[in-house]
Amino acid sequence: MTEAQPARDGARAAGSASGRHRPRDHRSGAVADLRRIGIDPDFWYPVAVSASVPRSKTFAAVFAGHRIVLYRGGSGEVYALEDRCAHRQVPLSMGAVEGEVLRCCYHAWAYRGSGRISQIPYLPKGVDRPPRGVRAYPVREAYGLVFVFPGDPEKADAAALPELPEFDSAGYKTMAFSRTVRCHYSFMHENLLDMNHQFLHRGVLGKVQPTLLGYETGPRFVEARYLFTPAGGKKDRGAGLLSAEGLSGGRKPDVITVRTEYPYQTLQAVPEGAELPAFSLWAAYVPEDAEQRTNHAYGLLMIAKPPIPGALRLAWPFIRRFTERVFAEDRMAVEAEQRAWDEQGEDRNQEVFPLILDVREVLRANGVPLHPAPALSR
Amino acid sequence: MTEAQPARDGARAAGSASGRHRPRDHRSGAVADLRRIGIDPDFWYPVAVSASVPRSKTFAAVFAGHRIVLYRGGSGEVYALEDRCAHRQVPLSMGAVEGEVLRCCYHAWAYRGSGRISQIPYLPKGVDRPPRGVRAYPVREAYGLVFVFPGDPEKADAAALPELPEFDSAGYKTMAFSRTVRCHYSFMHENLLDMNHQFLHRGVLGKVQPTLLGYETGPRFVEARYLFTPAGGKKDRGAGLLSAEGLSGGRKPDVITVRTEYPYQTLQAVPEGAELPAFSLWAAYVPEDAEQRTNHAYGLLMIAKPPIPGALRLAWPFIRRFTERVFAEDRMAVEAEQRAWDEQGEDRNQEVFPLILDVREVLRANGVPLHPAPALSR
Amino acid sequence: MTEAQPARDGARAAGSASGRHRPRDHRSGAVADLRRIGIDPDFWYPVAVSASVPRSKTFAAVFAGHRIVLYRGGSGEVYALEDRCAHRQVPLSMGAVEGEVLRCCYHAWAYRGSGRISQIPYLPKGVDRPPRGVRAYPVREAYGLVFVFPGDPEKADAAALPELPEFDSAGYKTMAFSRTVRCHYSFMHENLLDMNHQFLHRGVLGKVQPTLLGYETGPRFVEARYLFTPAGGKKDRGAGLLSAEGLSGGRKPDVITVRTEYPYQTLQAVPEGAELPAFSLWAAYVPEDAEQRTNHAYGLLMIAKPPIPGALRLAWPFIRRFTERVFAEDRMAVEAEQRAWDEQGEDRNQEVFPLILDVREVLRANGVPLHPAPALSR
C-alpha cells in the first residue's frame, strides 16, 4: 500500500513539515515539548481486540484517561459508553448485559447503547429521571479489533478506518499484537522509523546493515525506505522464517518501508526484486492515561503465505516468539526514554537524523494540547 | 433500639436537615463536596478490637491521620497515646511495656499513660527534661472494642458510648467485623441506607424486592424502613439462616430499619409480625488517613438465638461466610465510588433518592472541614 | 586513627560549631531543617563495591538523584559517566562495553571514558556531531570500593580519599557492608554518635551501660568517647567474638570512640588497657535520590586478628550475623524517623544530648541547599 516514492537522500522532500505551524510554549516561545502533545481524538482508535468482548459481556477500555465500557449485546453488536454510571460514577463495566441494555451493578440503573437511561427500577414518584445519561462513542469492528471514535462524533462518519487489503487477502495470514507500553506514543513512531536502532536487536537479528534509500515528508506523514543487508552474526530462527524469501530458503536483502501516516504507522518488507511484501505491519499506539505517558500498542502483522502449503502454520510459533523478542527489546528502550523524560521533566533529545526531526514535527503539528486532566489512578 | 417511627413516603419529615447550615465552598458559594468533609472528632470511635491489645503489648492504631499507640499495662488497663516519641518521633508502638509505663524502643524514654515522660535514662546533668510529653487520648473499652475520643478531651465524659442492649442480652450472640475499606466514610452510610442496591447482592441474596415503607430525617439522623420481600432466585444458605424465621424454617418478609445517627449506623431486621429483631447491626466507619479517603469499618452483628439450643452455633460459619460475601460486594462498590471521585476530583453524583440526599446533608452538617494535613504514607 | 582527644564532659569544647554560620530559613529566620540539607558533593563518595563492576560490564550507580554509569574497560580501569545517552537519554548502563568505549544499547552511539562521543555509526553527511557528549566524573578505586567525585571536578585532586591504615594492615581483616537505608544521611550520623540507643539492641547485645567519657566538637567534626560496661543479659555470640578480648576469652569494658568527620563517620573499640583497636569501622552514607531521603550505607569493618591462627575465620559468620542484626535494628529505627519526618513535613525532634546538637550543626553548616530536583522515580 505504501508505494515507493521518489525521495532525496539526506535532504527533506518537498512538502516538509518544517514550514507549518509548530505549537510553541507560551512563556518562552520555544517549540512545545512533543511529549506533552496529546493525540488527535478525531480518528478511529482500537481499544480492544474483538475476542475480549464476548456476547453479553463487558470490557473496560480506556482512551487517554477516558474510561470506556465496551459491551456486546445479545444481537452481537458492540456498544461503547462512558464507563461511569450517571448515578454514582461506578464503572458500568462492573455491570450486567441484558439484551442490548447495560445495567449498573450497584443500583441497577439501565442504559441503552445510545447512552440514554432506559430504567431506574426504584425511581420515586415525582422525581424526574436525570436528563442526561452517559456519553456514547461511535464504534466499529474491523480486522478483529474494536475501534472507537473518541473525538467529535459528528466527524466519525467522514473519518475513514485504516485500509488493510492484505488482511482480507488469501495470500496473507495475520498475527495480532495488543500490549501496554509505558511511554508517550511519539516514542513508538520514532522507534520504528529510525531503523538505525538495529544494534538493540543484535542478539535476535544478528548483524544487520540498514541503509537509508530515501524518505519523504508531508503535512501528515513521513515515509522512509531502507535496504536491510545481513552482515553476519547469529539470527533468531523466526527472523529468517518471517521473510518470504526465508521460508523459501533465500537470503536476499529486503527493502523496508516505514511510514507514519497520522496517527497510524505501517512497515512493509519487500524482498529485493519481488513485487509483493513478504510481510506488512499496521500499528496504532493508543494513549491510556490522561497524561498520555502510557500507550496501548495494537499491531496487525500480515505475513505472505509461502508456496509450500502448511509451511506458515509450522513457522507460526517461531515467528511469534521472534516478534515477541524484538518487541520486548523495543519496549525496554522506549520505556527507558519515558522514564528519563519523567525524571528530567522535559525532552532533552539531541536528534541528528533528519527524518526523525520530521516525524516529530508531524506528530506535534497534528496533535492537540494536553488538558490538565485528573490522573487515572492514585 | 430504633423504634419504628411515623414517617411519610416520598416526602421529607419535619425537622429535615434541609433548613440547617450547609458548608459552602468559599469561592463558588456551592455546597461543599461531601467527600471533603471530615468526621467530627468529638465522639467515641473504635480504633481496635480488644483482642488486638493483649496485656503488656502495644498496638498501632490510627484516627484520620493521627497515629495512636494503644498499650495494655500489667494491670489490664488500656492507654492511648500519640504514637510518636517526643524525642525523635519514632513510633512508641515499636516500644516495650513495663508495668503501666511505655518505653520507646530507641533511646528508652519512658511514658506514663497520661503522656508524661517518666524517665530519660541518660539525661545529662543540667539539661531539663522536655516540658511536654506526648498527647494522651481518653480511652474506654466496651463491646470487645477499644474506643478513643480523638477530639477535645474536655468533652469526652459528656459524650456517651453507643448503647447496645442486645450485646449483653442472653438472647443474642455477637459477630464482630473489623476491616479497612478504601473510601470516605460517607459512602458507607449511603450504601447501607439505600437498600435499592440489592441488585449488587443478587448472587448471594437471590432476588429481593425492597419497598420503602417510610423514612424520617432529623438534624443528626436519618432513619428508613423497608419491607424486604423475597422474589425468587437462589439464596446463599447463610442468608436464610441469618433470619430468626429462617432458622425456624419460615420465609416471611422482614422489616429492615436502617438508621444513621451521627456518626454511627445501625440496621435492624424484624420478621413481619415479630416484636424482637432477628438481628441487629451496629457499625462505625473510622477514617484512617488524614484525607479520610480510607475508613476502618467496625461492625457488631447481634443475632437472636433461635429456640433450638445449639442451632446458632451450627449456623455460625454459614452466617459468617454469607456476611463476608455481602460485605465484599459492598466494598467493591464503595471503593469503586472513591476511585471515581479520585479520578474526577469532585463529586459528580446525580442522586434521585430523597433520603440519601438527606443523609448527605446530615453528614455534611455534622462534619468538620478537612485540614490540609500531611499524608500518612509516601 | 582517631586518637583519644582531650575533651570536657557535658560541655562544648573550644571551636564548637555553635559560633559558625547556620543556614536559616529565608522566610522565618529559623534554623533550616537539617533533613532538607544536601550533602556537600565536593568529596569522594563510594557508589559501588568494586566486585559489582566486572571487566567489560556496566553498573548503574546513583548520587543524590544523578544517575551515574560505571563501567570497567578491557584494561581494568573504571570510568564514571552520566547515565544518559546524549542522543535520547536512554541509560548508558543498558549499553555494551567495547574495549575502553561504552556503546549505547539503542542507536549504538559510542562514548569514551571522558564522556566524549567517539562514534555515531550512521551520522548523515552534513550533519554535525553534537558538540557535547555526557558528563564524566572523576573516579578512583580503593578499599574494594569505587569512589566518584560528584562535585566540581577541579577540586577532585585536592580532595583526599579517606585514610584507612587498618585496611592494609596484616593485623586486621575487613568485612564490607553495602545497603540502602531509606532515610536522610543525617539520621545515620546521629544514630551512631548517640550511644544511649543501646536499648534498641538489648536483644542482641544484652544489657550494656554506656557512659560518656567526653566529647569534642570542631567546625567539621564531633568526636565522642564512651565506656561500654556489660550489665548482664544474654548476648549474641557474635557480639562476644567481635571484641578481640572476646576472642581471647576476656570480658573487659571497651572504650568506644565515635567520630563524624564530615562527611564520613568512624567508630573504634579499644578494650580497656589495650593500645590497638579490637575493631574499627569506617562508614559513608551516600544519598541516592534527589531529595536525599534515602542513602546507601557503605561500611568497612576492620577487625583485629586474634593471636590464635584461624580463629577469626571461624568466628567470621557469627560476626557477620551479629552485625547484620544490629544494622537491621538501627535501620528500623532511622527509617521510622524518616517516615515520621515525611508525615510531619518537618523536624520535630526535641534533642537533649548536647553532642547530638553539635553534630546536627556540623552537618548543617557543611552541607548545601537542596535543589528542587526532579524525583528519581515516579
Side-chain angles (χ1 to χ4, degrees):
Chain A
M1 66 182 241
T2 52
E3 296 280 316
Q5 310 241 8
R8 315 175 200 166
D9 283 15
R12 291 205 176 164
S16 152
S18 53
R20 285 173 297 111
H21 171 70
R22 306 206 295 183
R24 284 172 185 280
D25 188 284
H26 57 90
R27 288 169 311 174
S28 63
V31 175
D33 188 325
L34 174 56
R35 319 308 175 189
R36 296 188 194 277
I37 299 288
I39 211 164
D40 184 353
D42 285 334
F43 285 90
W44 289 98
Y45 290 98
V47 292
V49 296
S50 290
S52 297
V53 197
R55 203 173 289 253
S56 303
K57 297 288 180 193
T58 65
F59 181 82
V62 72
F63 175 86
H66 299 275
R67 295 198 180 277
I68 299 170
V69 55
L70 303 178
Y71 73 98
R72 193 182 297 276
S75 69
E77 194 172 337
V78 175
Y79 308 95
L81 303 180
E82 183 187 348
D83 196 8
R84 303 270 182 221
C85 181
H87 179 209
R88 299 181 63 88
Q89 314 301 316
V90 164
L92 291 172
S93 52
M94 291 163 69
V97 179
E98 297 178 358
E100 306 301 299
V101 154
L102 178 56
R103 196 176 283 282
C104 177
C105 72
Y106 200 2
H107 299 86
W109 291 28
Y111 296 85
R112 295 189 213 286
S114 63
R116 295 280 302 274
I117 295 167
S118 71
Q119 195 202 18
I120 300 174
Y122 59 91
L123 191 71
K125 277 173 210 157
V127 174
D128 287 336
R129 185 179 295 178
R132 68 168 178 84
V134 296
R135 178 176 176 185
Y137 294 87
V139 56
R140 288 198 199 156
E141 265 191 295
Y143 314 123
L145 300 174
V146 179
F147 290 79
V148 301
F149 194 89
D152 178 357
E154 304 277 315
K155 299 179 181 171
D157 281 342
L161 277 182
E163 281 176 35
L164 307 177
E166 288 98 345
F167 186 89
D168 294 313
S169 156
Y172 289 84
K173 188 167 150 66
T174 299
M175 187 177 275
F177 300 89
S178 161
R179 203 139 320 164
T180 292
V181 185
R182 279 175 295 188
C183 71
H184 190 259
Y185 60 90
S186 58
F187 290 114
M188 306 295 284
H189 284 272
E190 296 178 62
N191 169 269
L192 199 63
L193 259 174
D194 189 345
M195 279 292 162
N196 298 304
H197 82 268
Q198 296 315 314
F199 184 67
L200 181 67
H201 304 306
R202 63 196 181 281
V204 186
L205 287 173
K207 261 194 173 164
V208 170
Q209 180 57 50
T211 311
L212 181 66
L213 299 177
Y215 74 98
E216 196 186 5
T217 298
R220 310 189 62 86
F221 77 93
V222 173
E223 181 175 300
R225 284 178 310 121
Y226 293 90
L227 188 70
F228 263 46
T229 315
K234 211 180 152 191
K235 207 180 198 170
D236 178 285
R237 194 169 172 183
L241 293 172
L242 184 51
S243 129
E245 291 304 305
L247 284 172
S248 54
R251 198 155 184 179
K252 291 189 196 155
D254 287 324
V255 174
I256 304 280
T257 304
V258 189
R259 181 179 177 99
T260 286
E261 176 137 8
Y262 197 87
Y264 313 121
Q265 197 169 39
T266 56
L267 180 151
Q268 281 195 320
V270 181
E272 216 175 28
E275 292 213 347
L276 289 173
F279 63 88
S280 181
L281 172 73
W282 174 89
Y285 314 117
V286 186
E288 289 191 346
D289 57 320
E291 290 186 316
Q292 306 202 12
R293 296 190 192 178
T294 293
N295 76 86
H296 198 104
Y298 290 92
L300 298 169
L301 180 63
M302 293 154 283
I303 306 168
K305 293 180 184 166
I308 309 156
L312 188 54
R313 202 171 341 129
L314 289 172
W316 205 249
F318 295 96
I319 296 174
R320 167 68 74 175
R321 199 192 58 173
F322 160 71
T323 50
E324 299 278 4
R325 284 181 65 183
V326 170
F327 193 88
E329 288 170 346
D330 283 327
R331 178 154 60 167
M332 187 186 68
V334 293
E335 292 189 342
E337 291 190 287
Q338 180 67 54
R339 279 197 303 273
W341 189 93
D342 290 346
E343 291 183 19
Q344 297 178 327
E346 61 180 14
D347 193 338
R348 297 196 186 161
N349 284 12
Q350 296 190 71
E351 193 47 66
V352 296
F353 204 49
L355 69 90
I356 294 301
L357 293 170
D358 281 7
V359 80
R360 292 164 66 102
E361 194 47 45
V362 166
L363 295 173
R364 209 182 266 117
N366 287 285
V368 298
L370 271 183
H371 301 287
L376 252 191
S377 60
R378 30 151 77 212
Chain B
M1 68 184 240
T2 51
E3 294 282 316
Q5 311 241 8
R8 314 176 200 165
D9 283 16
R12 292 204 174 167
S16 153
S18 53
R20 285 172 296 114
H21 171 71
R22 305 205 296 183
R24 284 174 183 279
D25 187 285
H26 57 92
R27 289 168 312 175
S28 63
V31 174
D33 189 324
L34 174 56
R35 319 310 174 188
R36 296 188 194 277
I37 299 289
I39 212 165
D40 184 353
D42 285 335
F43 286 90
W44 288 98
Y45 290 98
V47 293
V49 295
S50 290
S52 297
V53 198
R55 202 174 290 252
S56 301
K57 296 287 180 194
T58 65
F59 181 81
V62 72
F63 175 86
H66 299 275
R67 295 197 180 278
I68 298 171
V69 55
L70 303 177
Y71 74 97
R72 194 182 296 275
S75 69
E77 194 172 338
V78 175
Y79 307 95
L81 303 181
E82 183 186 350
D83 196 8
R84 302 270 182 222
C85 180
H87 179 209
R88 299 181 62 90
Q89 314 301 316
V90 163
L92 291 172
S93 52
M94 293 162 69
V97 180
E98 299 178 358
E100 305 302 298
V101 154
L102 177 56
R103 196 177 282 281
C104 177
C105 72
Y106 201 0
H107 299 86
W109 291 28
Y111 296 85
R112 295 188 212 287
S114 64
R116 295 282 300 276
I117 296 168
S118 70
Q119 195 203 17
I120 300 174
Y122 59 90
L123 191 70
K125 277 174 209 158
V127 174
D128 287 336
R129 185 179 295 178
R132 69 167 177 85
V134 296
R135 179 177 175 184
Y137 294 88
V139 56
R140 288 200 199 154
E141 266 191 294
Y143 314 124
L145 300 174
V146 180
F147 290 79
V148 300
F149 194 88
D152 178 357
E154 303 276 317
K155 299 179 180 170
D157 281 342
L161 278 183
E163 280 176 35
L164 307 179
E166 288 97 348
F167 185 89
D168 295 313
S169 156
Y172 290 84
K173 188 167 149 65
T174 300
M175 187 177 276
F177 299 90
S178 161
R179 202 138 322 163
T180 293
V181 185
R182 279 175 296 188
C183 72
H184 191 259
Y185 60 90
S186 59
F187 290 114
M188 307 294 285
H189 285 273
E190 296 179 62
N191 168 270
L192 200 63
L193 259 175
D194 189 345
M195 280 291 163
N196 298 303
H197 81 269
Q198 297 314 314
F199 184 67
L200 181 67
H201 304 305
R202 63 196 180 280
V204 186
L205 288 173
K207 259 193 175 165
V208 170
Q209 182 55 50
T211 310
L212 180 66
L213 299 177
Y215 74 98
E216 197 187 4
T217 299
R220 310 189 61 86
F221 78 93
V222 173
E223 180 176 301
R225 284 177 311 122
Y226 294 90
L227 189 69
F228 264 45
T229 316
K234 211 180 153 190
K235 207 180 199 170
D236 179 284
R237 194 168 172 184
L241 293 171
L242 184 53
S243 129
E245 291 304 307
L247 282 173
S248 55
R251 199 155 185 179
K252 290 188 196 156
D254 287 323
V255 174
I256 305 279
T257 304
V258 188
R259 182 179 176 98
T260 287
E261 175 137 8
Y262 197 87
Y264 313 121
Q265 197 169 39
T266 56
L267 181 152
Q268 281 196 319
V270 181
E272 217 175 28
E275 292 214 347
L276 288 174
F279 63 88
S280 180
L281 172 74
W282 174 89
Y285 314 118
V286 186
E288 290 191 346
D289 57 320
E291 290 185 316
Q292 306 201 11
R293 297 189 191 178
T294 293
N295 76 85
H296 197 103
Y298 291 92
L300 298 170
L301 180 62
M302 293 153 281
I303 307 168
K305 293 180 184 168
I308 309 156
L312 188 54
R313 202 172 341 130
L314 289 172
W316 204 251
F318 296 97
I319 296 174
R320 168 68 74 175
R321 199 193 59 174
F322 160 71
T323 49
E324 299 278 4
R325 285 181 64 184
V326 170
F327 192 88
E329 288 170 346
D330 284 326
R331 177 154 60 168
M332 187 186 68
V334 293
E335 292 190 343
E337 290 190 288
Q338 180 67 52
R339 279 197 302 274
W341 189 94
D342 290 345
E343 292 183 19
Q344 297 177 327
E346 61 179 15
D347 193 339
R348 297 197 186 161
N349 283 11
Q350 296 191 73
E351 193 47 67
V352 296
F353 204 48
L355 68 91
I356 295 301
L357 293 169
D358 282 5
V359 79
R360 293 165 64 101
E361 194 47 45
V362 166
L363 295 173
R364 210 183 265 117
N366 288 284
V368 297
L370 270 183
H371 300 288
L376 252 192
S377 62
R378 32 152 76 213
Chain C
M1 62 178 249
T2 50
E3 297 280 317
Q5 311 241 7
R8 315 175 200 165
D9 283 13
R12 291 205 175 166
S16 152
S18 53
R20 286 172 298 111
H21 171 71
R22 306 205 296 183
R24 284 173 183 279
D25 187 285
H26 57 90
R27 288 169 310 174
S28 62
V31 175
D33 189 324
L34 174 56
R35 319 309 174 188
R36 294 188 195 278
I37 299 289
I39 211 165
D40 183 355
D42 285 334
F43 286 90
W44 288 97
Y45 290 99
V47 293
V49 296
S50 290
S52 297
V53 199
R55 204 173 289 253
S56 302
K57 296 289 180 193
T58 65
F59 181 81
V62 72
F63 175 86
H66 299 276
R67 295 197 181 277
I68 299 171
V69 55
L70 303 178
Y71 72 97
R72 193 182 296 275
S75 70
E77 193 171 339
V78 176
Y79 307 95
L81 303 180
E82 184 186 348
D83 196 9
R84 304 271 182 218
C85 181
H87 179 209
R88 298 181 63 87
Q89 314 301 316
V90 163
L92 292 172
S93 52
M94 292 161 70
V97 180
E98 298 178 358
E100 306 302 298
V101 154
L102 178 55
R103 196 177 282 283
C104 177
C105 72
Y106 200 1
H107 299 86
W109 291 28
Y111 295 85
R112 296 189 212 288
S114 63
R116 296 281 302 275
I117 296 168
S118 70
Q119 194 202 19
I120 299 175
Y122 59 90
L123 191 72
K125 278 173 208 157
V127 175
D128 287 337
R129 185 180 295 180
R132 67 166 179 85
V134 295
R135 179 177 176 184
Y137 293 88
V139 56
R140 287 198 199 155
E141 265 191 295
Y143 314 123
L145 299 174
V146 180
F147 291 79
V148 300
F149 193 89
D152 178 357
E154 304 276 316
K155 299 180 181 168
D157 281 341
L161 278 182
E163 280 175 36
L164 307 179
E166 288 97 346
F167 186 89
D168 294 314
S169 155
Y172 289 84
K173 188 167 149 65
T174 300
M175 187 178 276
F177 299 90
S178 161
R179 202 138 319 163
T180 293
V181 185
R182 278 174 296 188
C183 72
H184 190 260
Y185 60 90
S186 59
F187 290 114
M188 306 295 284
H189 284 273
E190 296 179 61
N191 168 268
L192 199 63
L193 259 174
D194 190 346
M195 279 292 163
N196 297 303
H197 81 268
Q198 296 314 314
F199 184 67
L200 181 66
H201 303 306
R202 62 197 182 279
V204 186
L205 287 173
K207 259 194 176 165
V208 170
Q209 181 57 50
T211 310
L212 181 66
L213 300 176
Y215 73 98
E216 196 187 4
T217 298
R220 309 189 63 86
F221 78 92
V222 173
E223 181 176 299
R225 283 177 311 123
Y226 294 89
L227 188 70
F228 263 44
T229 316
K234 213 181 151 190
K235 206 180 199 170
D236 179 284
R237 194 170 171 184
L241 293 171
L242 184 53
S243 130
E245 290 307 304
L247 284 172
S248 53
R251 197 153 185 181
K252 291 188 196 155
D254 286 324
V255 174
I256 304 279
T257 304
V258 189
R259 182 180 176 98
T260 286
E261 175 136 8
Y262 196 86
Y264 312 122
Q265 198 168 39
T266 57
L267 181 152
Q268 281 195 320
V270 180
E272 216 175 27
E275 292 213 348
L276 289 174
F279 63 87
S280 180
L281 172 74
W282 174 88
Y285 314 117
V286 186
E288 289 191 346
D289 57 320
E291 290 185 315
Q292 306 202 11
R293 297 190 191 177
T294 293
N295 76 85
H296 197 103
Y298 290 92
L300 298 170
L301 180 63
M302 294 154 281
I303 306 169
K305 292 180 184 167
I308 310 155
L312 187 55
R313 202 171 340 128
L314 290 171
W316 204 251
F318 295 97
I319 297 174
R320 167 68 74 176
R321 199 193 58 175
F322 160 71
T323 50
E324 299 278 3
R325 285 181 65 184
V326 170
F327 193 88
E329 288 171 345
D330 284 326
R331 177 154 62 168
M332 187 185 69
V334 293
E335 292 189 343
E337 291 190 287
Q338 180 68 52
R339 280 197 301 274
W341 189 94
D342 290 345
E343 290 182 20
Q344 298 177 327
E346 61 180 13
D347 192 339
R348 297 196 187 161
N349 284 12
Q350 296 191 72
E351 193 47 66
V352 296
F353 205 49
L355 68 90
I356 295 300
L357 292 170
D358 282 6
V359 79
R360 293 166 64 101
E361 194 48 45
V362 166
L363 295 173
R364 210 183 265 117
N366 287 284
V368 297
L370 271 183
H371 300 287
L376 252 192
S377 60
R378 32 151 74 214

